[in-house]
């Protein structure tokens, strides 16, 4: 039995079954595109994690704190499960950039570093001597938040929150300013995976639905935004590392940009999750908010009984399409996975009624890839 190990954030996370959840991650569905007698999928992803925090929390390498009692689904640290010949898919980016301003400087944000004259970002791998004490709260944090426009009350609330987060780590951790870079953290995973005889794969994250003149916009908080060398800095950095380290890259970002721009701003919204008036994700059974897919989802839309459309997280149908594209790209790059890929997925996921008129467009687009 070959295993696909999934490391990442809320976009990769397996939320549960297709009946009680609106929200979905591609990890919910990837296994349905392969022969289940030959391939299993283990999904260690969880919401809010970056390449740095995933490591600091012990979700990858056992630090004695993260146990099988913690989500996801009793798996415990990922590295303990990886065996020779397995595949490890890495999708980190969504929380590594400043998507929530500078508030997540303490636990999530990961620096790209300064690119060279060709726009290549540095690969500085975290090492144990870079770790700093969790008892020493970064003194620069209040000023960073003040420059980000936060009030004194908001700053104090964040300081309390992140002191509690640091208290949940071991006595040392990799801080934002420890010296390691985004490409360096990814290389850390890659080197460890290869040391086990397993195969690392970088997966670029799906695009956020940030629109400008009918196109997906490269703005601050959207995978790093732009610099003088181009758009979507973290996406470019991930692809650079793939080329430098001879690691396969599944370019989900490029696919999703083209796909949602094909649908257009209105119809592409129906691929997304929705958020309640009290800022909770609707239809998420893990937190005792189940709702029937897609009947209840359609009713929420009909009644406009929700606060906003989630510009980042997909619903069951959107995440199913994205999982199918990942399976397609994997089978194109690895012969052994191609032999185990199903001609037709072992399940179907119902679509929101508002996409009825676009099903042929969706089918044609997916089949042309």
């Amino acid at each position: 039995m070959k295993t696909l190990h999934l490391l990442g954030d809320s976009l990769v996370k397996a939320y549960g079954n297709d009946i009680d959840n609106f929200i979905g991650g591609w990890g919910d569905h990837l296994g349905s595109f392969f022969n289940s007698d030959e391939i299993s999928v283990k999904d260690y992803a969880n919401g809010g994690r970056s390449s740095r925090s995933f490591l600091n929390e012990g979700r990858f390498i056992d630090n004695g704190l993260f146990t099988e009692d913690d989500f996801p689904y009793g798996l415990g640290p990922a590295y303990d499960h990886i065996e020779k010949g397995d595949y490890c898919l890495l999708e980190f980016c969504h929380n590594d950039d400043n998507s929530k301003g500078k508030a997540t400087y303490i636990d999530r944000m990961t620096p790209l570093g300064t690119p060279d004259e060709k726009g290549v970002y540095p690969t500085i791998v975290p090492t144990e001597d870079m770790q700093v004490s969790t008892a020493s709260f970064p003194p620069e944090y209040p000023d960073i938040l003040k420059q980000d426009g936060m009030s004194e009350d908001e700053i104090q609330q964040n300081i309390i929150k992140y002191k509690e987060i640091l208290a949940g780590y071991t006595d040392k951790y990799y801080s934002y300013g420890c010296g390691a870079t985004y490409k360096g953290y990814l290389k850390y995973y890659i080197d460890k995976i290869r040391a086990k005889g397993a195969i690392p794969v970088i997966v670029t994250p799906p695009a956020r639905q940030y629109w400008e003149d009918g196109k997906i916009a490269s703005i601050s908080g959207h995978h790093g935004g732009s610099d003088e060398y181009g758009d979507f800095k973290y996406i470019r950095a991930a692809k650079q590392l793939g080329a430098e380290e001879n690691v396969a890259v599944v370019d989900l970002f490029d696919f999703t940009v083209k796909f949602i721009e094909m649908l257009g701003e209105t119809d592409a919204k129906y691929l997304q999750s929705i958020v309640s008036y009290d800022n909770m994700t609707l239809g998420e059974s893990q937190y005792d908010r189940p709702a029937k897919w897609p009947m209840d989802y359609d009713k929420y839309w009909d009644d406009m009984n929700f606060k906003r459309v989630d510009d980042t997280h997909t619903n069951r149908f959107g995440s199913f399409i994205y999982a199918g594209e990942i399976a397609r790209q994997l089978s194109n790059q690895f012969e052994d996975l191609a032999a185990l890929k199903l001609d037709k997925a072992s399940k179907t996921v119902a679509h929101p009624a508002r996409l009825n008129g676009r099903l042929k467009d969706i089918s044609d687009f997916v089949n042309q890839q």
Side-chain angles (χ1 to χ4, degrees):
M1 174 75 73
K2 194 182 296 291
T3 302
L4 304 179
H5 302 274
L6 315 183
L7 280 59
D9 52 37
S10 56
L11 306 175
V12 187
K13 176 179 173 178
Y15 290 85
N17 65 61
D18 296 327
I19 298 172
D20 298 320
N21 295 280
F22 290 171
I23 191 169
W26 54 261
D28 276 307
H29 314 291
L30 186 62
S32 67
F33 292 89
F34 292 97
N35 183 338
S36 61
D37 293 330
E38 301 290 340
I39 286 185
S40 68
V41 175
K42 291 183 177 178
D43 192 339
Y44 311 87
N46 199 11
R49 272 61 191 185
S50 70
S51 62
R52 181 166 65 93
S53 66
F54 198 90
L55 189 58
N56 279 329
E57 291 178 2
R59 290 175 178 271
F60 184 56
I61 300 288
D62 187 2
N63 65 0
L65 295 179
F66 188 77
T67 73
E68 292 180 357
D69 294 329
D70 297 300
F71 187 86
Y73 305 114
L75 287 172
Y79 203 58
D80 294 344
H81 299 281
I82 298 170
E83 298 181 355
K84 183 177 180 180
D86 287 348
Y87 287 82
C88 297
L89 278 59
L90 310 169
E91 185 190 292
F92 291 108
C93 171
H94 163 56
N95 295 300
D96 290 72
D97 73 357
N98 60 337
S99 57
K100 296 184 181 297
K102 302 297 195 307
T104 63
Y105 173 88
I106 303 297
D107 68 328
R108 301 185 193 180
M109 284 173 53
T110 308
L112 279 172
T114 304
D116 64 16
E117 66 280 358
K118 295 183 179 179
V120 177
Y121 295 97
T123 304
I124 304 175
V125 178
T127 56
E128 287 190 9
D129 62 320
M130 291 181 177
Q131 292 182 318
V132 301
S133 172
T134 52
S136 177
F137 196 78
E140 68 274 18
Y141 188 57
D143 285 340
I144 288 173
L145 296 190
K146 186 177 292 185
Q147 293 169 13
D148 215 29
M150 280 197 184
S151 68
E152 288 299 326
D153 184 55
E154 290 172 326
I155 290 171
Q156 290 307 311
Q157 289 177 17
N158 275 283
I159 289 174
I160 292 170
K161 173 183 176 180
Y162 286 104
K163 280 186 176 179
E164 291 176 352
I165 286 175
L166 289 186
Y169 294 167
T170 57
D171 58 341
K172 291 185 177 181
Y173 80 114
Y174 295 109
S175 67
Y176 179 87
C178 73
T181 61
Y182 173 65
K183 284 170 65 176
Y185 284 104
L186 292 183
K187 188 176 186 308
Y188 178 93
Y189 293 102
I190 288 165
D191 290 344
K192 292 289 186 182
I193 290 164
R194 282 177 163 167
K196 280 219 169 178
I199 302 155
V201 179
I202 294 171
V203 181
T204 60
R208 298 178 188 270
Q209 287 206 29
Y210 294 167
W211 295 86
E212 197 171 274
D213 299 327
K215 299 291 184 182
I216 296 302
S218 178
I219 61 177
S220 179
H222 190 180
H223 307 330
S226 304
D227 62 14
E228 62 185 294
Y229 301 102
D231 297 334
F232 307 108
K233 294 184 288 188
Y234 282 79
I235 303 296
R236 288 190 285 114
K239 291 179 181 179
Q240 288 172 7
L241 186 67
E244 293 160 5
E245 297 296 320
N246 193 29
V247 173
V249 175
V250 169
D251 197 353
L252 183 60
F253 178 78
D254 181 68
F255 170 85
T256 56
V257 169
K258 294 174 181 174
F259 179 56
I260 61 184
E261 286 183 352
M262 179 276 294
L263 284 175
E265 187 169 355
T266 296
D267 288 345
K269 290 178 180 177
Y270 309 136
L271 300 172
Q272 301 300 110
S273 179
I274 49 178
V275 178
S276 68
Y277 284 101
D278 54 357
N279 286 318
M280 299 294 180
T281 302
L282 289 163
E284 188 172 3
S285 60
Q286 182 195 348
Y287 297 110
D288 296 321
R289 297 190 296 270
K292 297 303 179 186
W293 173 264
M295 177 181 64
D296 291 349
Y297 183 87
D298 288 331
K299 182 169 174 52
Y300 273 106
W301 271 103
D302 290 341
D303 297 342
M304 296 305 288
N305 186 23
F306 57 92
K307 181 177 182 180
R308 62 180 172 87
V309 180
D310 190 322
D311 50 37
T312 298
H313 301 93
T314 45
N315 60 36
R316 306 306 293 183
F317 185 64
S319 54
F320 181 70
I321 291 173
Y322 293 178
E325 174 60 16
I326 292 169
R328 186 192 69 81
Q329 290 194 37
L330 285 173
S331 65
N332 283 348
Q333 297 187 64
F334 298 101
E335 290 184 3
D336 57 337
L337 296 183
L340 300 175
K341 184 177 179 297
L342 300 175
D343 293 332
K344 185 178 181 181
S346 60
K347 70 174 183 179
T348 58
V349 174
H351 63 275
R354 288 173 175 249
L355 283 173
N356 281 341
R358 301 304 303 273
L359 292 183
K360 185 178 186 306
D361 295 332
I362 291 170
S363 178
D364 288 347
F365 184 89
V366 170
N367 290 332
Q368 288 169 5
Q369 301 308 300

